[in-house]
Amino acid sequence: MDSIYLYNATLINEGQSKETNLLIQSGRIAAIGSSISLPPGTKEVDLAGTVLLPGMIDDQVHFREPGMEHKGSIATESRAAVAGGITSYMEMPNCNPLTINAETLANKHQRAAQSSMANYAFYLGATNNNLEDIKRIDPAMTCGIKVFMGASTGDMLVDNRDTLEAIFSSTPLLVATHCEDTPTILNNERLFIQRFGEQIPFREHPNIRSEEACYLSSSLAVELAKKHATRLHVLHLTTAKELALFSSGDTNKKRITAEACVHHLFFNDSDYEAKGALIKCNPAIKKRTDQIALQEAITTDIIDVIATDHAPHTWEEKTRKYTQAPSGLPLVQHALLMLLELVDNGTFSLEKIVEKIAHTPATLFNVKARGFIREGYWADLVVIARNRKTIVDQSEIYSKCGWSPFSGHTFSSRIEQTYVNGKLKYDRGAFPDTSPGIALEFSERD
Amino acid sequence: MIFKGSHILSVDQFTRADIEKVFTTADEMRPYAQRECITRVLNGAILGNLFFEPSTRTRISFGCAFNLLGGEVRETTEVKASSLAKGESLHDTARVLSGYSDIAVMRHPEPGSVAEYAVASRVPVINGGDGPNEHPSQALLDLYTVKLEMATRGQGIDGLRIALIGDLKNGRAVHSLCKLLGMYTKVHFKLVSPPQLAAPEEIIVALIAKGHRVEICHELEEGIHHVDILYVTRTQEERFENQEEADKYRGLFRVNQSIYTEHCEPNTVIMHPLPRDSRSAAKELDEDLNQNPNLAIFRQTDNGVLVRMALFALILDVADKVHDYVHPVTWYTAKREPVPNQ
């Protein structure tokens, strides 16, 4: 395989920023340092003026395949992800058919092996009646069990307390939960429909999918995990109140971990006025005070990872009225740029961002040889120009849905290149190598 | 009260439990008003819709409510065309017309006229407004709207903060609403009007006697901050001696978006019994508020149909049978409540 030499790079890795050079051989990082001897035929890339980061490992995306290809596919969404500096992703099971047994899981692996531009892993979905499938699953085939604890996603809603107890007590795998209490949401929704009829303003979304709904559900998840010593990962926290359920510290010492998503860190309820349905998502974007608390929880390590919850819908679907507009937004292409904007305004350090998008996801899921820029690790890398702007242009949105909540927005940085397994997959608006990524491998957790 | 067969003449007939009964029944009516399905529970029943004074929304709202329950509506709208114009007494008119229907709604310019009519009527009569006196269904739909608006904030009617604004002397809607709100607890009333158009003394005294807080304001700005509801009313020009007298008060209590933004809490709900005078010179409730999601005026009129359906269903004793006579909607309707999609 080709050798690539990246030089004059400012490497941001493991809490440090340093000027150095890096040699990629056979897809892996062969050497890091100032005096590397290059094999003949090595391609040399001058990275002066850019920063080099480990690629983002996004532990929560919805790529819609199989069954909802009008919204997106593994091919289209992984392409957008790579353009956004995401080199590995973990994909959610609410496809059609649902990813709830070995067969449907294997089907996704086959599809991704053909068409995914990034490295991939898939969650196995829990339902009220697939406990035996969960117990039997080969741990190498999945990054974890996804439990929609009372979120309305059709058949995947697990609202039976006995089923929850059984899942939490019997799986050796990581349990990742979406926590929103359905009865609370349905009651709120009834009140808002009574008040507004079909014209519910989008700004009421966080009052329907309320703080109380989140807290009721996430506190139950934490309670069950403590009772059964489950390895629990609570996805997309959105409220200050829920943060009290989690503890600060090293991710690899925690049994209960937490995730926040880029849009909950970036937006708050004042943005509904301008963005409306485009930022309607579940759990909802909440108050400014919640946003600030989430940002602080990143810095204090209460929240372990940052993800996107990329969830594309078509423009036609998204521009319906409140009760019919589906929740979710396309984010993989701009997630890193959003976070860099928060670095620019002083919210985060760049080192902290790298930790939460690459290091801790790798640690948390025991991903083998990724998430860090280390010799011997896979060369999953992203090159970013911090002094070049990105104007979000409609024609350069790579998600199948073709829209973004950031249309017309100017980000302060630009993604220059993305390397996946040492291959240059994205290069300033071009995709020079569309070969597939590979399945993430997981080591046993201690 | 026993609803079955009763005349509805005044809000004074209602207890708090009765009001709640009307509201829970109104909640049940929503699927029919939203055209999710139709009910024929009043199939064959006839409403005499007797309007001896001009009215558009109240008359049509009552008629529509009756139709939505499957009944038929017989209208009398022009007093000139009726036998009253030929000198017939209300008694005789009532006796005759009540032979032609199962229930009647009546509006008449004379205070007390509907009650007088009801005495001779063989069927239940609902007061659709008797001059400046009473308009109970309006007060009920206003209170129902207050309830629904507050419910999304997890609040009820107890403890409500409401500003009543405008012609509080002549506005019957305000008088009836005050009486209904008076049945709840710890309501904070701000009565905002020029001294000459102040609310009647007996209403204020009654509210204070029940332990409510009543604040009298003559300036709009002081009246509208720190309230949950703005209830704006029009100047009842037809109740003034002459137009010149009415014109004196024009624009004094204008509410528009910039006044709202400057002085109101961000979630303050704006209500108005309608019609509002939308001519630019009217300076009442400006159209620039139309995009404000807290403008509840059209939700009031929509809720009016539900409340009137509830009154019909309760008086004709079919409230628990409405769902037994259900049919699918076969035509296109933009009103149908969409199914939530996640």
Side-chain angles (χ1 to χ4, degrees):
Chain A
M1 195 180 271
D2 294 342
S3 300
I4 304 174
Y5 180 60
L6 306 177
Y7 65 100
N8 289 334
T10 303
L11 197 72
I12 315 290
N13 188 52
E14 301 189 56
Q16 291 184 337
S17 164
K18 63 179 174 193
E19 309 289 317
T20 188
N21 310 321
L22 192 146
L23 178 67
I24 300 170
Q25 272 187 309
S26 301
R28 300 214 183 212
I29 298 165
I32 304 169
S34 51
S35 55
I36 301 172
S37 57
L38 303 184
T42 297
K43 181 183 164 193
E44 297 184 35
V45 183
D46 184 356
L47 295 186
T50 66
V51 291
L52 182 66
L53 275 50
M56 180 165 176
I57 300 175
D58 188 349
D59 79 351
Q60 190 185 182
V61 300
H62 300 261
F63 281 177
R64 308 305 192 196
E65 184 182 344
M68 290 177 278
E69 285 86 350
H70 66 290
K71 297 176 194 265
S73 66
I74 291 173
T76 59
E77 306 316 290
S78 67
R79 190 166 176 262
V82 165
I86 293 168
T87 51
S88 299
Y89 61 85
M90 303 180 194
E91 208 262 353
M92 285 295 160
N94 57 329
C95 297
N96 187 15
L98 298 169
T99 319
I100 51 175
N101 52 35
E103 185 193 346
T104 44
L105 200 54
N107 178 272
K108 270 195 181 173
H109 273 272
Q110 284 157 18
R111 288 167 179 271
Q114 301 286 318
S115 65
S116 176
M117 283 185 63
N119 303 315
Y120 50 87
F122 299 99
Y123 288 91
L124 180 71
T127 71
N128 274 330
N129 41 34
N130 74 335
L131 189 60
E132 288 312 309
D133 290 294
I134 291 173
K135 286 181 183 170
R136 275 202 304 269
I137 206 73
D138 173 5
M141 289 291 287
T142 184
C143 48
I145 307 301
K146 170 66 181 288
V147 184
F148 288 89
M149 284 185 47
S152 52
T153 47
D155 294 339
M156 283 211 352
L157 167 66
V158 182
D159 53 3
N160 181 317
R161 173 79 187 223
D162 293 340
T163 309
L164 285 173
E165 295 268 4
I167 295 168
F168 275 67
S169 63
S170 64
T171 177
L173 293 166
L174 175 143
V175 173
T177 56
H178 175 132
C179 292
E180 283 185 292
D181 182 64
T182 304
T184 304
I185 293 167
L186 291 179
N187 185 51
N188 290 340
E189 194 167 69
R190 182 181 58 81
L191 294 176
F192 277 84
I193 286 177
Q194 280 192 340
R195 180 179 172 195
F196 289 106
E198 29 196 318
Q199 301 297 340
I200 299 175
F202 285 95
R203 68 170 194 179
E204 302 290 0
H205 191 52
N207 298 322
I208 294 171
R209 303 195 78 108
S210 61
E211 175 191 73
E212 185 196 6
C214 293
Y215 187 79
L216 271 174
S217 182
S218 48
S219 56
L220 172 62
V222 169
E223 178 200 325
L224 290 174
K226 285 182 174 164
K227 180 175 167 188
H228 299 294
T230 316
R231 173 67 194 93
L232 173 69
H233 185 43
V234 181
L235 302 168
H236 44 42
L237 293 182
T238 56
T239 65
K241 190 173 178 184
E242 289 171 287
L243 293 170
L245 298 165
F246 300 87
S247 54
S248 171
D250 284 352
T251 298
N252 59 11
K253 291 179 185 149
K254 292 182 185 177
R255 286 299 285 175
I256 298 173
T257 51
E259 176 212 75
C261 289
V262 284
H263 45 306
H264 297 120
L265 296 168
F266 193 88
F267 294 116
N268 60 56
D269 61 357
S270 70
D271 294 302
Y272 286 106
E273 209 63 48
K275 305 275 184 194
L278 302 189
I279 58 165
K280 183 191 182 201
C281 56
N282 300 337
I285 290 162
K286 300 203 171 57
K287 292 191 178 74
R288 172 82 180 130
T289 47
D290 294 307
Q291 179 195 19
I292 292 169
L294 291 172
Q295 291 171 347
E296 284 171 359
I298 296 288
T299 305
T300 56
D301 295 331
I302 289 170
I303 290 172
D304 298 281
V305 301
I306 301 175
T308 66
D309 195 9
H310 175 83
H313 298 282
T314 66
W315 181 254
E316 184 280 318
E317 292 166 334
K318 249 342 218 184
T319 47
R320 295 173 189 167
K321 51 196 167 191
Y322 175 84
T323 41
Q324 286 192 311
S327 292
L329 47 157
L331 288 160
V332 284
Q333 193 181 339
H334 303 113
L336 210 41
L337 296 174
M338 292 161 76
L339 293 171
L340 291 170
E341 202 156 293
L342 294 175
V343 170
D344 288 337
N345 73 16
T347 306
F348 301 120
S349 71
L350 188 52
E351 289 77 7
K352 185 53 85 179
I353 292 302
V354 169
E355 178 191 328
K356 298 298 181 187
I357 62 162
H359 304 335
T360 47
T363 306
L364 197 152
F365 286 88
N366 304 305
V367 177
K368 276 188 187 169
R370 300 187 192 276
F372 297 85
I373 300 179
R374 290 176 182 166
E375 289 176 3
Y377 274 54
W378 287 101
D380 292 342
L381 303 165
V382 54
V383 178
I384 297 167
R386 299 279 285 131
N387 53 356
R388 289 201 172 136
K389 293 185 180 357
T390 302
I391 299 167
V392 180
D393 186 287
Q394 201 70 20
S395 66
E396 288 165 10
I397 291 169
Y398 300 118
S399 278
K400 175 81 187 295
C401 65
W403 64 272
S404 162
F406 294 103
S407 281
H409 184 83
T410 301
F411 287 106
S412 53
S413 300
R414 194 173 89 164
I415 311 283
E416 297 282 300
Q417 294 185 320
T418 305
Y419 294 84
V420 179
N421 306 324
K423 296 173 181 171
L424 180 59
K425 291 289 181 77
Y426 175 78
D427 188 14
R428 301 175 183 86
F431 297 88
D433 181 342
T434 56
S435 66
I438 55 180
L440 297 181
E441 291 185 81
F442 305 101
S443 53
E444 293 286 315
R445 196 179 163 97
D446 304 334
Chain B
M1 78 189 268
I2 296 161
F3 282 96
K4 182 180 172 181
S6 284
H7 303 300
I8 304 293
L9 302 173
S10 164
V11 291
D12 294 333
Q13 291 170 259
F14 291 82
T15 63
R16 183 167 167 165
D18 298 331
I19 296 166
E20 297 299 332
K21 177 84 179 158
V22 173
F23 290 174
T24 52
T25 309
D27 290 342
E28 299 273 304
M29 300 300 153
R30 186 168 294 273
Y32 307 105
Q34 294 290 148
R35 296 313 217 189
E36 285 168 32
C37 50
I38 56 177
T39 178
R40 308 303 299 169
V41 70
L42 290 185
N43 189 20
I46 299 170
L47 166 68
N49 211 16
L50 315 174
F51 278 72
F52 300 115
E53 188 183 55
S55 163
T56 306
R57 73 205 67 246
T58 303
R59 178 172 59 84
I60 294 174
S61 173
F62 270 117
C64 164
F66 206 75
N67 288 148
L68 283 168
L69 290 167
E72 291 174 49
V73 181
R74 190 159 279 276
E75 304 262 10
T76 303
T77 53
E78 285 288 321
V79 70
K80 287 193 195 76
S82 81
S83 52
L84 283 175
K86 297 172 192 156
E88 185 178 63
S89 68
L90 269 176
H91 175 277
D92 286 6
T93 306
R95 176 60 188 81
V96 171
L97 292 184
S98 61
Y100 304 154
S101 69
D102 299 287
I103 186 167
V105 171
M106 180 177 170
R107 169 171 289 190
H108 195 285
E110 291 297 319
S113 56
V114 180
E116 185 188 337
Y117 182 100
V119 171
S121 173
R122 296 163 66 195
V123 299
V125 178
I126 298 174
N127 185 354
D130 55 339
N133 186 37
E134 282 264 13
H135 190 1
S137 67
Q138 176 72 45
L140 286 167
L141 77 87
D142 284 341
L143 191 67
Y144 183 56
T145 303
V146 170
K147 176 181 185 269
L148 297 188
E149 296 288 320
M150 299 307 292
T152 60
R153 298 187 218 168
Q155 292 176 43
I157 297 169
D158 294 324
L160 183 78
R161 304 167 301 162
I162 184 168
L164 299 158
I165 300 162
D167 182 356
L168 306 185
K169 180 183 172 198
N170 297 302
R172 66 186 169 198
V174 169
H175 302 167
S176 297
L177 182 57
C178 283
K179 286 183 184 175
L180 288 186
L181 284 169
M183 296 177 202
Y184 289 77
T185 57
K186 297 239 180 288
V187 177
H188 181 181
F189 291 87
K190 284 185 156 188
L191 304 178
V192 190
S193 73
Q196 304 87 334
L197 299 181
E201 191 68 24
E202 66 268 22
I203 287 181
I204 296 171
V205 168
L207 291 176
I208 293 170
K210 285 181 179 153
H212 300 293
R213 180 172 164 201
V214 180
E215 232 181 302
I216 311 287
C217 307
H218 299 309
E219 300 295 330
L220 183 72
E221 286 75 9
E222 64 163 317
I224 65 176
H225 59 235
H226 304 310
V227 294
D228 302 305
I229 307 270
L230 295 186
Y231 191 94
V232 185
T233 64
R234 74 187 172 94
T235 307
Q236 305 280 311
E237 295 187 359
E238 66 277 23
R239 318 256 184 239
F240 284 81
E241 281 180 14
N242 55 56
Q243 187 62 40
E244 206 173 72
E245 191 64 22
D247 284 345
K248 281 187 194 168
Y249 304 105
R250 194 183 289 277
L252 276 182
F253 298 107
R254 173 189 212 172
V255 179
N256 60 24
Q257 186 59 50
S258 61
I259 291 170
Y260 180 91
T261 306
E262 189 177 345
H263 297 287
C264 293
E265 290 175 5
N267 284 321
T268 301
V269 171
I270 308 163
M271 295 173 60
H272 188 294
L274 299 182
R276 66 172 156 163
D277 190 340
S278 288
R279 290 168 293 188
S280 59
K283 297 180 178 174
E284 192 172 289
L285 194 58
D286 284 16
E287 295 204 319
D288 67 356
L289 289 161
N290 286 4
Q291 298 309 313
N292 187 324
N294 288 309
L295 185 74
I297 59 177
F298 303 117
R299 300 198 284 269
Q300 284 173 270
T301 53
D302 288 347
N303 291 337
V305 173
L306 305 181
V307 166
R308 287 168 178 137
M309 287 173 79
L311 290 174
F312 287 135
L314 289 166
I315 294 166
L316 296 176
D317 200 26
V318 293
D320 54 357
K321 302 186 188 75
V322 171
H323 307 311
D324 297 338
Y325 296 85
V326 170
H327 298 272
V329 175
T330 52
W331 57 91
Y332 164 75
T333 168
K335 285 182 181 173
R336 189 175 301 146
E337 204 56 72
V339 179
N341 170 359
Q342 293 301 335

